[in-house]
Amino acid sequence: MKQNKQYHLDLGCGSMARNPYSRDILIGCDIVELPQAEVKQNFEFRQVDLTKNELPFDAGSFDSVSAFDFIEHVPRQGFDSNGQTF
């Protein structure tokens, strides 16, 4: 992916990905399907459910990552003394 350009990934971007470090290339991921007509700025969008799937990028693909308003949507789970989830 890298070609002397800097890449930023915004997790949980919705229709408007953020690029707080002003990287050259902006890529956003979200769980919802986002038709290109709803993208409010120029960025590459990938739909991915991060509770079930890994990011669809190779390790080291990005120079920076943001996750504004993201972590509160990640399901919580714990483990009991037998290692079972609850």
Side-chain angles (χ1 to χ4, degrees):
M1 185 184 293
K2 288 195 172 208
Q3 299 170 345
N4 296 327
K5 295 195 181 234
Q6 293 187 322
Y7 289 78
H8 180 77
L9 174 64
D10 188 26
L11 301 173
C13 66
S15 62
M16 194 164 113
R18 298 180 195 182
N19 190 359
Y21 304 106
S22 300
R23 303 298 188 200
D24 301 307
I25 308 292
L26 175 59
I27 299 174
C29 289
D30 206 311
I31 193 172
V32 298
E33 183 176 354
L34 184 64
Q36 190 60 38
E38 290 184 28
V39 173
K40 306 224 186 293
Q41 66 193 77
N42 188 21
F43 70 94
E44 181 183 329
F45 177 80
R46 300 276 183 98
Q47 181 183 8
V48 61
D49 182 347
L50 295 176
T51 64
K52 298 177 184 174
N53 303 310
E54 294 182 10
L55 285 170
F57 308 103
D58 293 333
S61 294
F62 297 96
D63 299 285
S64 56
V65 177
S66 58
F68 298 96
D69 303 316
F70 173 80
I71 198 72
E72 69 269 21
H73 299 287
V74 176
R76 294 181 185 104
Q77 63 181 188
F79 297 92
D80 65 18
S81 60
N82 296 318
Q84 299 297 314
T85 59
F86 59 88

